Amino acid sequence: MLAMSAALNSTELAHAVGILRRGGLVAFPTETVYGLGARALDPVALARIFSAKGRPVNHPLIAHVLGEREARELAAAWSPLASRLASAFWPGPLTLVVPRAPHVPLELTGGGDSVGLRAPRHPIARALLEALGEPIAAPSANRYQTVSPTTAAHVVASLGDRVDLILDGGPCTEGIESTVVDVRGEVPVILRPGALDWVTLQTVAPTLLDSAVETAPARSEDDPHLSPGLDRRHYAPRTPLVVLSGPSELLAEASLRGERGQTVALLLVSPLADGIPAGGARVHVLGPDPVAYARGLFAKLHELDAAGVDVVLVEGVPRSPRWGAVRDRLRRASAEG
Ligand code: TXA
Ligand code: MG
């Protein structure tokens, strides 16, 4: 395992490509989170991803491609809607679920007949795809059911030497995973809210349904997974996380827990008003802009885990569509195991 600097030189790139060609694992930055990459059409390499992550093999992986042309080679059908979405939002944080072409291995798709495809925007991800000349399967580069990595250090902490090489591109600019949209039917459906919000997607796909993850029934681990990101507990930090509606509930709960001797961290949207004591709790503020909040969220959860606080009390975020992905991740991070 070797970590590298932000810009890739040709030697580093050749080294990474060599590892991938031999069926190895290379973690690399994307604009959303770091991915754990392997050749997408090589079942043996794919098996290494599942074992490094400790992830069940029925959870499909996203194949990363350079663009629509490469995506279509992996799809049995490609609708006009898929084209419209790809030309509007690729490269970027959008994953399209389409019917799988016959040569796409079932190891990639979790045994199902659809495949998730995404053209990432990050220059290192693109350089790797170009140099390899093949699609790269990449789940988030973390152990199963833990918080996704937004820095190379997070990857090291989660996967250590389970990965052959980590390319360090600095912190991810989006900080939250891609939005997964199923475009197989007439009406496109968001399977996982993500960095590209529903409001923006709707400008191109007006009928877009948010699968209302909010109200979706909890799934059993044994179900064939429509979308494994929908597991009730996912993205979970080690430290218990409790979401409360507003500052007064937070402060009441903080003081109660403080009295019981617990170390409490508060994760807020906006700073507490002047003069309001936090009752000994450590206050962290991610800000009122959903994009900036998303960018900082996973790094903050990693930081709070490392700090060893007993509980994180989180101020609930607004119920507007632009906060959809953040609200989803907070809900999953606070779900009980
Ligand atoms: O931003 C991202 O999407 C990152 C970066 C590395 O690209 N990748 C990522 O991969 O988050 P992963 O494996 O941690 O999550 C992939 C999600 C799954 O949770 C699932 O919801 C969806 O993509 N997915 C992939 N293929 C699918 C398919 N064929 N059908 C339904 N959902 C699929
Ligand atoms: Mg993941």
Side-chain angles (χ1 to χ4, degrees):
M1 200 262 301
L2 188 74
M4 291 177 177
S5 58
L8 276 191
N9 66 39
S10 56
T11 317
E12 293 164 341
L13 192 58
H15 182 48
V17 167
I19 290 171
L20 290 172
R21 290 234 164 91
R22 289 191 295 277
L25 301 181
V26 175
F28 61 95
T30 81
E31 67 278 20
T32 58
V33 300
Y34 275 72
L36 179 61
R39 292 173 72 198
L41 303 180
D42 175 355
V44 179
L46 295 173
R48 294 200 59 212
I49 289 184
F50 288 99
S51 107
K53 275 187 71 89
R55 166 160 156 165
V57 294
N58 63 342
H59 287 205
L61 302 173
I62 296 170
H64 294 69
V65 292
L66 279 168
E68 179 172 344
R69 187 163 53 93
E70 293 77 7
R72 293 178 83 132
E73 286 170 18
L74 304 176
W78 189 264
S79 65
L81 175 68
S83 277
R84 285 207 304 281
L85 286 167
S87 44
F89 301 115
W90 280 0
L94 171 67
T95 295
L96 296 175
V97 172
V98 299
R100 168 185 75 93
H103 70 285
V104 171
L106 291 169
E107 287 81 357
L108 180 75
T109 68
D113 266 328
S114 66
V115 61
L117 304 170
R118 165 162 121 79
R121 190 170 60 213
H122 197 290
I124 293 182
R126 299 192 67 75
L128 202 56
L129 283 165
E130 251 163 56
L132 182 67
E134 287 178 39
I136 299 177
S140 52
N142 55 289
R143 295 281 289 169
Y144 179 55
Q145 287 191 329
T146 62
V147 178
S148 292
T150 57
T151 66
H154 296 157
V155 182
V156 175
S158 189
L159 293 176
D161 54 17
R162 291 187 176 94
V163 49
D164 299 307
L165 175 70
I166 300 172
L167 300 173
D168 186 349
C172 300
T173 52
E174 301 284 351
I176 203 160
E177 297 88 345
S178 64
T179 305
V180 180
V181 179
D182 187 344
V183 289
R184 284 172 298 167
E186 238 159 67
V187 176
V189 181
I190 294 183
L191 299 180
R192 177 180 68 179
L196 189 61
D197 69 63
W198 178 78
V199 179
T200 309
L201 276 163
Q202 261 211 328
T203 60
V204 173
T207 59
L208 180 70
L209 281 182
D210 191 335
S211 72
V213 196
E214 305 277 330
T215 54
R219 286 157 192 278
S220 130
E221 284 290 309
D222 305 326
D223 281 350
H225 280 65
L226 178 64
S227 198
L230 298 185
D231 280 348
R232 199 165 61 88
R233 182 176 171 84
H234 211 85
Y235 314 101
R238 284 190 305 273
T239 314
L241 194 135
V242 180
V243 182
L244 295 165
S245 53
S248 52
E249 288 82 359
L250 282 171
L251 292 172
E253 185 69 21
S255 74
L256 212 75
R257 292 189 180 246
E259 282 161 23
R260 289 194 221 131
Q262 294 188 0
T263 330
V264 179
L266 297 181
L267 188 52
L268 305 180
V269 174
S270 306
L272 289 171
D274 274 353
I276 296 187
R282 299 173 214 179
V283 178
H284 302 261
V285 179
L286 285 174
D289 168 38
V291 174
Y293 190 111
R295 185 180 302 133
L297 176 62
F298 289 167
K300 184 58 76 180
L301 296 180
H302 283 289
E303 176 196 323
L304 291 170
D305 261 352
V309 295
D310 294 317
V311 65
V312 183
L313 302 179
V314 183
E315 176 181 5
V317 299
R319 296 192 62 82
S320 72
R322 290 202 187 273
W323 285 90
V326 164
R327 213 167 47 245
D328 172 76
R329 301 305 188 272
L330 286 176
R331 204 163 38 79
R332 293 176 200 290
S334 59
E336 279 164 32

